Amino acid sequence: MKPCLMLMTILLLSLNTIAQQKYTISGTIKSKAKGETLIGATVRVSSGGGTTTNEYGFYSLTLPQGRHKLEISSMGLQSNFLELNLRRDTVINLFLDDESVSLSGVTITGNSTRRSLSTPQMGLEKLTTKEMKNVPVLLGEKDAIKVIQLLPGIKSAGDGNAGMFVRGGAADQNLILLDEAPVYNASHLLGFFSTFNSDAIKDIAVYKGGMPAQYGGRLSSVLDIKMNDGNNQDFNVSGGVGLISAKLNVEGPIQKDKSSFLITGRRTYADMFLKLSNDSSLNNNSLYFYDLNAKLNYELGSKDKLYLSGYLGKDNLGVGDLFGLKWGNTTGTLRWNHIFSNKLFSNTSLIYSNYDYTISINSSTTQADIYSKIRDYNLKQEFQWYAGSNHNVRFGLNSIYHTITPGQVTTPETSELNSRTLEDRLSWENAIYASDSWKMSDNLSVTYGLRASAFSILGKGDFYNVDADGNVTDTLHYKSGEFVKTYVNLEPRLALSYKLNTYSSVKGSYVRNTQNLHLISNSTSSSPTDKWVASTNIIKPEISDQFSVGYYRDLWNADYELTVETYYKTMQNQIDYRDGADVNTVSNAIEAQLLFGKGRAYGIEWLFKKRVGRLNGWVSYTLSKTERKIDGINYNKWYNARQDRTHDIAIVAVYQLNKKWTLSANWIYYTGDAVTYPAGKYQIDGQTVYYYRGRNSHRMPNYHRLDLGATKQLKQHKRWSSELAFSLYNAYGRENAYIVQFKDSDDDPNKTVAVQTALFKFIPSISYNFKF
Amino acid sequence: MRNSFIYTILGTALLLGTACEKEITPDLGGNDSRYVVEGVLTDEAGGCSVKISRTKDFYSDNSFDGVSGAIVKIYHGTDTTVLAETSTGVYTAPELTGSSGNTYGMTVNIAGEVITATSIMPSKVNMDSLYITKEEVFGDTQNQPTVQFQDPAGVANYYRFTLYVNDYKSTNIYVRNDDLTDGNLVNANLFSFDSEEGDPDYVDSGDQITVEMMNIDPFVYKYFFSLSQSATGENQSASPANPVSNLKGNALGYFSAHTIQRKTITVP
């Protein structure tokens, strides 16, 4: 609490006293066509200075009395210019028109958001739906998460894996927010698709470093996804039919200009094809997912707005009646925007988030259901205070109540297995934060802030003391409502930018993050059944400190952008399984199966982007190192983290051939993951057993792949437009290793061989999308 | 569960015909030529043996690389038996048997390198029957050998099974504890996710199958459990590692004093 008060004091002292009479312009900026509020739209003052809209389209700008010229612009929309004589506080709400179509129908202005040279925020990647629209993807299913993984510092976990690794962090160290609700498992269908239906998404921001103080709870990144609000001007239906899935999006006004709704649904139907098959090995199995996004917004008055948004997604995977696995996320967010004054904006959010899975086993001798869940009730209150022309202050609080059901085994009377319920784990996570973005001079800006987080572990439950060998030495009983332990952490956030000239700048940042929910996985591939555990008396909060420095330059009239960022990150209290850990049948004391240590990651990232023109796209290259050191693993020495990849390259190109055709391609190359292969072998009980030496000292084969895509715009009518999208995934048929297995040779049992399996070679697809 | 998930992914890809396999020859580094000791004492005559070998290069053959000239002893209290080397690296005491409840020790001295271990022979749980369960897996009807036994309530029991199909010993490792089955009548399925028709451990009508059931101590259970999780080369543990051994000294392997029973049937 104290440092926060201090910060507020510094903040207040640093506010300039008002010398000249100043007035404030404020308002909301929306798109004209749909009435969607615009995030990050720029309001620029010709005399210098300006601001951008916040996540609800609101802006506030304080200027000296007198005449001003304003330019209001947003990606892909026509800029609006206005002149005014400022003599009192003024509210200006604006609508921006869709971009006019020029050069025989080919849009040649920007395709992507321009990154800002002057704001201190670094390590931020923004993606518009327009930008990801044309990038070819597996089975033609547009997927924001897959496109994000083509940016530097963000690595995909590979074919058939859902995870994403940001700057050396593990897959669970990414905070994934959908309309502020945390999504605990962002993957569908074994990781081939993400849970985010691109039709419902308005804006995606990924913070790889320099996270603003309003975000916390994960070490490596924040992926902040905002859903569309829904068209408040007109009814709109759009949809698509692809090889494996179909989707439909319906939106429209409830009250024109004031309120709207949006419903988006998606379902895969690959399993229906399986049903058509005569092969009983196929038609008995199920493999599908569906998801549903819905949003309502309602304007209560000029100063109040309500938003209600929800997401529901379910996956179902079954091998006949024998084995079944179902998992899914449910989230709900109720938000209330209130404009206290033209300088003070408030948002209150009530958030619900749930992730659960059920494993069903139904063999003739064993029947059991295993159920596990993580559920959050979450309150957020945030104020944005436009304190002066040079200060923009945010402060707020966040309180989350977590319930984790670690694994409940339910069996019928007749089953030979006994039912068992592990205790629910309860915890309460609180944070307060404040930050100020301060424009110190025309060239120098700073954002400084502090987040104080407190994580309380609550009873009822048994907690343990564990000795160095992983034996439980003591069991501590706590009653319902009792505090077991509270971890308090201060997380300073600092970012600076210095504009060298009109086309280049340097930035630096330091950020500390903590994490109290940990995903425990001991597999190479992420599985929906990986365990979420909260910090306990033994499992300490993970802490990361990241320093980063970057250079930003616009080239050739800002048609091209060059971004170079380098980072060094240390991580404390990292978790790994002990050798021989039994993950599935252990009782409550999971601590006894774990080891703790530290990690470090460093690297340099280049991004060269062509934003405009018929040909646009980017080249990204990351050179990095990620290591861990955990006592009890690798002879207590540093070893490569699984996701350590020395080189990671992505090239993305989109070419607008003519009015009808858009062509696209991307090529990916990365160093194989660090893995542990056997160093030798021996015989135990007459069978071959492998001998292992260091952890992750070998490499999977290098990965590379080319994908091609083409979109054909079909004949457009007044209200109806449609397109055909073709894609070819892995165009040159590279066999990228999914796993490498070591085994006795089938041909000669006296020999051993290493066999790699690739999941697929070429995957062609076609889909049809429409809009009316 | 972990492996079944991965097999499901792989199985699906294989079924859809998109997956492809090929042999690769990665550089694996040196094998360190470590000692491997596998010591076994059972409640049957002829069941006592200690095998000593060394780790070998991955690309060499699978033959047993025995280590001669070691001094090998098994003891219970002050009662010590010295084992005789009957073939290269294989040391036996044909008459030596153990009894449930006793603690047995093993010492191995290989040219000054001393390796020791102890193991408690657990109580024997009767193997009631062996029969075949038919189960549909990926459209294929599998014959799954099933062992029925009554788990004693209130005590921790650890079991290991080995399966022979027409005298071919299956390479699957079957171990289980009674964490979720304490006191129950248990039907233990010995099935293989990846066994296909034509494989030597594929169980077909007319085959003769033999199952050995062993009651093992918790440390030996840990050894075989961790072996099955992370050292058989075939699964997808992110952290393959040497199994957790109960040996003290610079060697891989284990020492187990266990009870053993077996039954043989012909698959209907």
Side-chain angles (χ1 to χ4, degrees):
Chain A
M1 195 68 202
K2 254 185 191 161
C4 197
L5 281 174
M6 253 171 61
L7 182 83
M8 291 300 291
T9 319
I10 297 169
L11 240 152
L12 290 168
L13 287 176
S14 64
L15 300 178
N16 296 332
T17 45
I18 298 160
Q20 191 188 353
Q21 194 59 45
K22 290 184 174 184
Y23 294 106
T24 302
I25 310 168
S26 63
T28 306
I29 300 177
K30 296 176 178 177
S31 81
K32 192 163 192 173
K34 290 188 155 193
E36 289 272 343
T37 54
L38 298 173
I39 302 173
T42 313
V43 181
R44 205 163 53 192
V45 187
S46 58
S47 56
T51 188
T52 54
T53 55
N54 73 4
E55 48 278 44
Y56 303 97
F58 178 80
Y59 73 98
S60 168
L61 186 63
T62 301
L63 296 169
Q65 180 174 3
R67 290 199 166 275
H68 295 282
K69 276 187 195 167
L70 299 181
E71 181 191 351
I72 297 98
S73 57
S74 178
M75 194 54 252
L77 298 175
Q78 271 188 45
S79 295
N80 206 329
F81 298 87
L82 59 110
E83 253 184 280
L84 77 164
N85 192 355
L86 191 63
R87 284 180 300 180
R88 65 180 83 84
D89 287 344
T90 310
V91 174
I92 302 176
N93 295 320
L94 276 169
F95 292 88
L96 298 186
D97 256 325
D98 272 354
E99 203 160 44
S100 62
V101 175
S102 58
L103 195 84
S104 60
V106 178
T107 309
I108 53 159
T109 51
N111 256 315
S112 60
T113 328
R114 234 180 121 172
R115 54 131 167 72
S116 166
L117 290 173
S118 53
T119 59
Q121 182 61 54
M122 58 187 304
L124 170 65
E125 302 287 358
K126 286 214 138 202
L127 208 61
T128 58
T129 34
K130 195 170 177 185
E131 207 169 355
M132 60 183 217
K133 191 179 153 221
N134 289 315
V135 177
V137 285
L138 179 65
L139 290 165
E141 190 68 32
K142 276 181 259 170
D143 195 326
I145 304 279
K146 302 285 175 203
V147 178
I148 279 169
Q149 290 166 357
L150 301 171
L151 293 164
I154 305 170
K155 301 176 181 189
S156 109
D159 291 340
N161 278 315
M164 173 173 106
F165 307 121
V166 180
R167 289 189 172 170
D172 67 325
Q173 294 173 349
N174 307 312
L175 179 64
I176 300 174
L177 300 173
L178 179 65
D179 271 355
E180 296 187 60
V183 175
Y184 284 96
N185 184 333
S187 78
H188 276 311
L189 209 68
L190 318 173
F192 290 114
F193 304 99
S194 81
T195 49
F196 306 109
N197 182 343
S198 61
D199 285 355
I201 293 172
K202 173 166 14 190
D203 182 83
I204 298 164
V206 194
Y207 297 85
K208 303 182 285 187
M211 292 80 176
Q214 66 264 33
Y215 297 112
R218 298 289 186 281
L219 288 198
S220 288
S221 79
V222 178
L223 181 57
D224 193 358
I225 298 174
K226 300 277 191 329
M227 272 166 60
N228 277 326
D229 297 330
N231 193 333
N232 67 15
Q233 300 296 310
D234 227 338
F235 279 97
N236 239 248
V237 179
S238 62
V241 181
L243 278 188
I244 67 148
S245 72
K247 54 190 177 178
L248 194 68
N249 180 66
V250 182
E251 56 187 316
I254 299 173
Q255 275 180 299
K256 199 172 176 188
D257 291 337
K258 281 193 162 175
S259 56
S260 61
F261 73 94
L262 167 97
I263 299 171
T264 302
R266 180 167 66 151
R267 165 98 161 63
T268 61
Y269 40 68
D271 55 319
M272 310 216 174
F273 292 131
L274 295 183
K275 295 255 182 313
L276 295 176
S277 161
N278 290 325
D279 185 347
S280 67
S281 68
L282 284 174
N283 64 19
N284 260 330
N285 303 320
S286 53
L287 183 71
Y288 69 86
F289 72 80
Y290 65 86
D291 52 23
L292 203 61
N293 292 74
K295 194 161 174 175
L296 277 174
N297 69 82
Y298 193 79
E299 231 171 68
L300 294 170
S302 62
K303 292 191 165 159
D304 295 278
K305 194 160 185 179
L306 280 180
Y307 298 86
L308 180 64
S309 52
Y311 168 81
L312 173 73
K314 286 270 178 278
D315 273 71
N316 193 336
L317 189 156
V319 179
D321 295 328
L322 188 63
F323 171 78
L325 176 58
K326 291 178 188 172
W327 74 96
N329 295 284
T330 312
T331 71
T333 312
L334 175 66
R335 282 180 292 187
W336 169 41
N337 285 178
H338 179 68
I339 299 167
F340 278 95
S341 75
N342 56 13
K343 288 186 173 181
L344 187 61
F345 180 92
S346 150
N347 178 60
T348 312
S349 303
L350 283 171
I351 303 157
Y352 169 83
S353 177
N354 185 80
Y355 172 70
D356 58 31
Y357 68 78
T358 307
I359 303 168
S360 313
I361 301 159
N362 188 16
S363 76
S364 51
T365 57
T366 308
Q367 302 88 34
D369 279 343
I370 302 163
Y371 172 75
S372 176
K373 75 153 191 273
I374 176 163
R375 190 178 63 202
D376 290 355
Y377 293 105
N378 189 338
L379 166 73
K380 272 187 195 172
Q381 173 59 49
E382 182 174 83
F383 294 98
Q384 291 177 40
W385 177 30
Y386 300 84
S389 46
N390 296 322
H391 289 274
N392 187 348
V393 179
R394 270 179 196 257
F395 55 97
L397 59 86
N398 185 7
S399 182
I400 312 176
Y401 183 74
H402 302 285
T403 307
I404 298 177
T405 303
Q408 197 169 296
V409 182
T410 330
T411 58
E413 271 306 298
T414 52
S415 175
E416 67 181 42
L417 294 180
N418 301 331
S419 294
R420 182 170 61 193
T421 306
L422 298 182
E423 291 168 325
D424 276 1
R425 292 299 195 189
L426 306 175
S427 52
W428 189 25
E429 188 170 8
N430 286 292
I432 50 169
Y433 62 87
S435 71
D436 174 28
S437 292
W438 178 17
K439 195 162 189 278
M440 297 172 82
S441 74
D442 279 350
N443 293 332
L444 185 63
S445 296
V446 59
T447 301
Y448 57 100
L450 183 71
R451 184 180 177 90
S453 64
F455 189 85
S456 303
I457 301 139
L458 305 175
K460 134 188 202 214
D462 288 347
F463 289 82
Y464 308 90
N465 283 322
V466 173
D467 70 10
D469 295 327
N471 301 311
V472 175
T473 54
D474 198 6
T475 303
L476 315 161
H477 305 284
Y478 289 89
K479 287 200 277 292
S480 180
E482 246 183 308
F483 280 69
V484 179
K485 177 124 193 150
T486 296
Y487 291 103
V488 177
N489 278 293
L490 294 180
E491 305 169 26
R493 313 284 170 94
L494 177 70
L496 278 161
S497 71
Y498 185 78
K499 211 166 166 182
L500 299 168
N501 44 45
T502 54
Y503 54 84
S504 67
S505 67
V506 287
K507 300 183 189 184
S509 75
Y510 162 72
V511 56
R512 166 170 279 209
N513 273 301
T514 63
Q515 177 165 351
N516 283 291
L517 295 175
H518 322 275
L519 186 68
I520 315 275
S521 168
N522 71 338
S523 165
T524 51
S525 65
S526 68
S527 152
T529 59
D530 290 340
K531 273 178 199 291
W532 281 100
V533 298
S535 295
T536 67
N537 54 326
I538 304 284
I539 304 171
K540 302 272 189 302
E542 298 177 60
I543 298 173
S544 75
D545 292 281
Q546 187 187 157
F547 299 88
S548 81
V549 178
Y551 174 72
Y552 309 79
R553 188 184 174 117
D554 289 346
L555 298 148
W556 296 293
N557 225 355
D559 285 359
Y560 295 79
E561 288 177 355
L562 174 69
T563 304
V564 184
E565 289 191 6
T566 165
Y567 63 92
Y568 184 86
K569 181 157 77 179
T570 59
M571 291 167 275
Q572 303 172 44
N573 304 324
Q574 299 297 287
I575 303 169
D576 209 330
Y577 274 115
R578 279 176 192 277
D579 287 347
D582 182 351
V583 198
N584 293 316
T585 64
V586 282
S587 50
N588 272 319
I590 193 161
E591 294 91 337
Q593 312 262 340
L594 304 177
L595 292 169
F596 305 96
K598 57 187 178 180
R600 64 184 178 201
Y602 45 95
I604 182 160
E605 303 164 354
W606 281 270
L607 178 65
F608 184 70
K609 195 167 189 175
K610 184 171 186 288
R611 289 177 47 245
V612 296
R614 289 186 135 178
L615 175 69
N616 59 70
W618 67 84
V619 177
S620 92
Y621 171 59
T622 309
L623 175 67
S624 65
K625 185 86 202 152
T626 304
E627 294 169 296
R628 290 178 141 204
K629 184 177 182 293
I630 293 176
D631 281 352
I633 297 176
N634 200 47
Y635 318 105
N636 308 339
K637 292 199 202 89
W638 284 99
Y639 63 93
N640 297 327
R642 163 90 188 180
Q643 66 269 29
D644 176 56
R645 290 178 190 156
T646 315
H647 306 285
D648 197 322
I649 301 168
I651 301 171
V652 176
V654 177
Y655 183 68
Q656 188 125 31
L657 187 65
N658 54 35
K659 213 170 164 178
K660 280 187 175 160
W661 284 94
T662 306
L663 307 177
S664 59
N666 61 51
W667 184 73
I668 295 150
Y669 173 94
Y670 59 77
T671 308
D673 285 354
V675 289
T676 311
Y677 284 161
K681 62 182 176 183
Y682 54 98
Q683 298 288 312
I684 284 288
D685 201 16
Q687 81 177 80
T688 310
V689 170
Y690 298 99
Y691 168 61
Y692 296 95
R693 227 164 19 177
R695 172 74 65 93
N696 292 352
S697 59
H698 298 98
R699 288 277 167 192
M700 290 284 273
N702 294 334
Y703 183 104
H704 53 93
R705 191 186 83 218
L706 175 74
D707 305 330
L708 301 173
T711 307
K712 187 187 184 198
Q713 187 74 50
L714 301 176
K715 206 164 186 177
Q716 274 177 299
H717 301 278
K718 202 171 170 195
R719 276 199 59 102
W720 169 272
S721 73
S722 59
E723 60 175 31
L724 270 177
F726 305 88
S727 78
L728 179 58
Y729 184 86
N730 199 7
Y732 56 78
R734 160 82 178 173
E735 290 180 26
N736 286 305
Y738 171 63
I739 55 169
V740 175
Q741 294 172 301
F742 297 84
K743 56 186 185 187
D744 289 344
S745 166
D746 290 339
D747 309 328
D748 180 0
N750 198 31
K751 280 170 89 178
T752 45
V753 290
V755 177
Q756 77 155 49
T757 307
L759 284 185
F760 25 64
K761 277 185 151 178
F762 332 89
I763 305 264
S765 80
I766 179 167
S767 54
Y768 173 76
N769 300 310
F770 62 88
K771 200 157 61 178
F772 62 85
Chain B
M1 207 46 58
R2 156 80 42 209
N3 283 334
S4 51
F5 184 70
I6 283 148
Y7 281 124
T8 309
I9 295 190
L10 276 178
T12 309
L14 287 166
L15 279 170
L16 296 174
T18 59
C20 33
E21 285 191 350
K22 72 175 180 196
E23 222 175 284
I24 57 171
T25 52
D27 177 17
L28 299 172
N31 69 74
D32 296 348
S33 200
R34 297 264 312 265
Y35 288 125
V36 181
V37 176
E38 182 178 19
V40 172
L41 176 69
T42 70
D43 58 345
E44 288 185 336
C48 172
S49 79
V50 175
K51 293 177 186 163
I52 306 174
S53 62
R54 285 176 181 275
T55 56
K56 307 177 72 171
D57 192 81
F58 178 83
Y59 296 107
S60 65
D61 65 30
N62 287 344
S63 61
F64 177 75
D65 196 3
V67 174
S68 272
I71 302 160
V72 181
K73 295 173 188 167
I74 287 181
Y75 60 89
H76 165 57
T78 55
D79 200 359
T80 301
T81 308
V82 179
L83 279 65
E85 187 170 359
T86 45
S87 66
T88 307
V90 180
Y91 302 79
T92 59
E95 301 307 316
L96 187 63
T97 57
S99 310
S100 293
N102 288 348
T103 303
Y104 295 91
M106 174 185 77
T107 61
V108 171
N109 188 324
I110 317 166
E113 183 82 55
V114 178
I115 295 130
T116 63
T118 58
S119 175
I120 300 172
M121 188 174 288
S123 304
K124 189 181 246 176
V125 174
N126 191 50
M127 181 183 191
D128 293 338
S129 65
L130 169 65
Y131 62 96
I132 297 292
T133 310
K134 297 209 185 279
E135 201 76 70
E136 187 104 342
V137 180
F138 280 124
D140 179 30
T141 305
Q142 275 193 4
N143 292 304
Q144 297 181 348
T146 307
V147 178
Q148 191 178 71
F149 59 92
Q150 175 64 49
D151 183 78
V155 284
N157 296 96
Y158 303 90
Y159 304 91
R160 181 176 166 231
F161 304 90
T162 50
L163 168 67
Y164 295 83
V165 182
N166 300 327
D167 296 331
Y168 172 84
K169 183 175 171 295
S170 165
T171 56
N172 285 309
I173 293 166
Y174 300 107
V175 281
R176 62 189 291 155
N177 59 21
D178 61 354
D179 200 36
L180 284 172
T181 53
D182 187 40
N184 294 356
L185 184 66
V186 178
N187 294 281
N189 267 17
L190 311 184
F191 68 95
S192 167
F193 244 108
D194 55 351
S195 165
E196 290 167 14
E197 204 160 351
D199 289 351
D201 63 351
Y202 183 81
V203 181
D204 219 341
S205 281
D207 286 343
Q208 195 180 66
I209 57 162
T210 300
V211 171
E212 288 174 338
M213 169 167 158
M214 290 160 263
N215 285 94
I216 55 178
D217 81 12
F219 301 99
V220 177
Y221 170 79
K222 183 101 185 165
Y223 177 84
F224 279 98
F225 177 79
S226 56
L227 175 63
S228 71
Q229 288 290 301
S230 57
T232 58
E234 293 224 24
N235 62 32
Q236 274 301 284
S237 162
S239 46
N242 298 319
V244 181
S245 173
N246 64 349
L247 301 180
K248 292 191 174 60
N250 185 20
L252 301 157
Y254 68 96
F255 171 59
S256 174
H258 57 249
T259 63
I260 188 161
Q261 303 159 75
R262 58 182 70 74
K263 285 194 189 299
T264 301
I265 56 165
T266 302
V267 179

